[in-house]
Amino acid sequence: MDLHGYLNRTTFQTLKLSSTPTCSSSRFLSPSLHKTHKFPFPRLTTKALSTSSAAVQTSPTTTTISDDQGGKHQWKATIDFKWIKDNKETVAVNIKNRNSDANLEFILHLYDKLFILQKEVERVRGERNAVANKMKGKLEPSERQTLIEQGKNLKEGLTALEEDLAKLNDELQREAQCIPNMTHPDVPIGGEDSSTIRKTVGSSPKFSFPVKDHLQLGKELDLFDFDAAAEVSGSKFYYLKNEAVLLEMALLNWTLSEVMKRGFTPLTTPEIVRSSVVEKCGFQPRAKNTQVYSIDDSDQCLIGTAEIPVGGLHMDSILAESMLPLKYVAFSHCFRTEAGAAGTATRGLYRVHQFSKIEMFIFCRPEESDYYHEELIKIEEDMFSSLGLHFKTLDMASEDLGAPAYRKFDVEAWMPGLERFGEPH
């Protein structure tokens, strides 16, 4: 079970969104998840689900943009760069606090360059229109020929300028998507060690015998097979066997039924989505060290969380406030590259490439985002308590949020075999 943040201060006015760096002055409804995704700077308007940052205006456009690795997305965020520029210091501090490599100075340089080029395009376009209007009247042949030549030259010049403008706009979009979301004021600043403990429940169990980890238990009880899976699929895949299969299904069914009792609508989701939807949720499927598996020669990806297809569920729709909140609990298989995950702490059924997950997701009014975020973490804590686990809830520090998140709560349980806390879900 993985609960993820909430998108705060957005209005899902036309969830067709644009996406990543975004913010604007339009009032949006906000999806509330467990990892807070508060849309950045002022307020976003979306055309799909933007969990990144920057600033979006209320009229997202659709455009094909190519990336350096050959992928294409059929959308373009209408980013409020003026807000970013006017709040440059605040944005710069947030980039630093999030340990992001976004190059704000370069982004603003591109924005200024784009602004100048747009003015030049408008000037040349105006001249061309003026020439076209002159040709509507009665003219001497020589005068008409002169205007024809002027019009031809202006057309060629305008075409070249518009091509430069499109390329510059694409570059600005790519760079701006690196800007992380703004951060909740209560989030602790720093790395993972700076995360604060919100709650601790129970105490670590004591045993009168040597404790075995799950790898030892699984081998002795014939619960899973990593060797065969490595031959079939590669490392960090697994076969569940015997009682482990029944245990996983029992946990999934129990989780689903418990969350449904709290008014959530159950879903199963597509597990392949368009790359543009992934990006609109604030993730970069083709970025360096991405956790997303992309499908070659297509605009599709495998999902790393049901958060993505649920986030896109109401794309191109206008949600009336009277419909809110919309609460969903979604089952899916998830796929992650787990780039950089290695070592004894990730052995066995930990940081694997494929797993089953239940996701809670709420679309709510912006002013209710904090309330529903607390509801989500309370549901998770109640379920951990029901399982008799010793656990702690963390308010994760700024550098551990990930670009889309505005705030994130993690629940870690005590793992006797490893003698440490970790996310078992």
Side-chain angles (χ1 to χ4, degrees):
M1 179 176 64
D2 187 7
L3 315 174
H4 274 173
Y6 64 76
L7 307 181
N8 188 3
R9 280 211 199 153
T10 45
T11 102
F12 276 27
Q13 237 184 34
T14 119
L15 273 178
K16 238 193 245 173
L17 185 69
S18 336
S19 97
T20 60
T22 58
C23 264
S24 119
S25 56
S26 193
R27 186 165 169 271
F28 274 106
L29 304 177
S30 105
S32 184
L33 303 71
H34 174 202
K35 189 194 310 174
T36 295
H37 294 312
K38 164 169 180 184
F39 292 71
F41 317 140
R43 257 154 252 179
L44 303 168
T45 88
T46 141
K47 253 200 158 183
L49 180 57
S50 155
T51 44
S52 208
S53 73
V56 182
Q57 296 177 1
T58 54
S59 56
T61 58
T62 299
T63 296
T64 299
I65 301 174
S66 302
D67 63 28
D68 293 337
Q69 282 127 25
K72 294 184 178 181
H73 36 279
Q74 303 294 325
W75 61 275
K76 183 178 74 172
T78 307
I79 300 172
D80 188 354
F81 288 102
K82 183 179 184 302
W83 189 92
I84 298 174
K85 187 173 183 177
D86 292 345
N87 295 273
K88 177 181 175 181
E89 292 185 7
T90 300
V91 176
V93 169
N94 187 64
I95 289 174
K96 180 180 179 182
N97 289 343
R98 302 290 285 264
N99 194 29
S100 169
D101 58 2
N103 190 335
L104 182 60
E105 291 295 336
F106 182 56
I107 291 167
L108 293 178
H109 166 72
L110 291 177
Y111 170 64
D112 290 338
K113 189 176 177 180
L114 183 73
F115 182 80
I116 294 171
L117 187 56
Q118 284 176 328
K119 290 295 185 183
E120 180 63 12
V121 168
E122 292 170 3
R123 184 190 68 78
V124 175
R125 188 175 288 137
E127 288 188 11
R128 185 188 175 199
N129 291 338
V131 168
N133 288 331
K134 288 180 181 179
M135 292 181 66
K136 293 178 181 178
K138 292 183 178 181
L139 300 170
E140 295 294 327
S142 60
E143 187 178 0
R144 181 173 294 278
Q145 186 59 38
T146 298
L147 290 175
I148 289 173
E149 290 298 322
Q150 288 180 356
K152 181 181 178 181
N153 292 335
L154 287 169
K155 180 180 179 181
E156 292 175 352
L158 182 60
T159 298
L161 286 172
E162 287 175 337
E163 289 177 355
D164 291 342
L165 184 64
K167 291 177 182 178
L168 185 58
N169 199 26
D170 290 353
E171 183 179 12
L172 180 58
Q173 284 282 324
R174 288 193 298 270
E175 292 295 328
Q177 287 182 193
C178 296
I179 301 176
N181 200 351
M182 296 302 285
T183 307
H184 190 287
D186 293 339
V187 168
I189 304 303
E192 186 175 358
D193 292 342
S194 299
S195 299
T196 58
I197 299 176
R198 283 170 50 94
K199 176 187 288 188
T200 299
V201 176
S203 57
S204 57
K206 305 300 180 183
F207 300 94
S208 60
F209 53 84
V211 177
K212 299 176 181 179
D213 64 21
H214 77 283
L215 286 172
Q216 292 173 288
L217 291 170
K219 184 176 181 179
E220 293 174 8
L221 300 175
D222 195 24
L223 297 179
F224 32 69
D225 191 330
F226 292 99
D227 294 334
E231 292 295 325
V232 170
S233 303
S235 63
K236 302 193 76 62
F237 286 92
Y238 57 93
Y239 286 96
L240 290 184
K241 300 172 64 179
N242 300 315
E243 288 84 356
V245 176
L246 302 179
L247 177 59
E248 180 185 58
M249 291 184 174
L251 283 170
L252 291 170
N253 286 328
W254 174 72
T255 301
L256 193 62
S257 63
E258 287 297 308
V259 177
M260 287 173 61
K261 291 176 184 176
R262 292 165 168 84
F264 285 70
T265 300
L267 298 173
T268 59
T269 73
E271 293 172 359
I272 294 177
V273 297
R274 298 184 187 279
S275 301
S276 59
V277 176
V278 178
E279 292 168 342
K280 289 168 185 178
C281 289
F283 303 97
Q284 298 184 33
R286 291 180 175 84
K288 183 179 180 181
N289 293 326
T290 181
Q291 295 296 318
V292 179
Y293 284 107
S294 296
I295 299 174
D296 287 345
D297 301 320
S298 80
D299 68 340
Q300 296 173 312
C301 301
L302 298 179
I303 65 169
T305 166
E307 177 183 334
I308 293 170
V310 178
L313 180 63
H314 295 291
M315 279 173 34
D316 304 323
S317 301
I318 296 174
L319 301 179
E321 286 197 44
S322 59
M323 297 170 59
L324 303 177
L326 292 176
K327 299 182 179 183
Y328 295 108
V329 54
F331 166 80
S332 75
H333 297 103
C334 304
F335 307 87
R336 299 184 186 180
T337 66
E338 289 299 338
T344 56
T346 62
R347 293 187 310 135
L349 292 171
Y350 208 73
R351 301 299 182 192
V352 291
H353 294 309
Q354 176 184 336
F355 53 94
S356 303
K357 182 160 69 76
I358 302 290
E359 182 86 25
M360 294 191 290
F361 196 111
I362 296 175
F363 291 88
C364 68
R365 283 178 283 270
E367 60 272 18
E368 295 176 334
S369 290
D370 284 316
Y371 172 82
Y372 285 114
H373 192 201
E374 292 292 339
E375 177 181 312
L376 289 172
I377 192 63
K378 178 66 164 54
I379 292 172
E380 185 173 358
E381 290 171 343
D382 287 348
M383 298 182 78
F384 268 60
S385 294
S386 295
L387 293 171
L389 298 174
H390 169 40
F391 66 91
K392 61 181 180 180
T393 303
L394 301 173
D395 192 347
M396 302 306 291
S398 59
E399 293 181 18
D400 199 48
L401 293 184
Y406 175 60
R407 192 178 194 183
K408 182 174 73 166
F409 297 154
D410 276 356
V411 178
E412 296 185 350
W414 180 254
M415 298 180 171
L418 297 177
E419 295 187 333
R420 66 175 178 85
F421 284 97
E423 287 189 280
H425 64 299

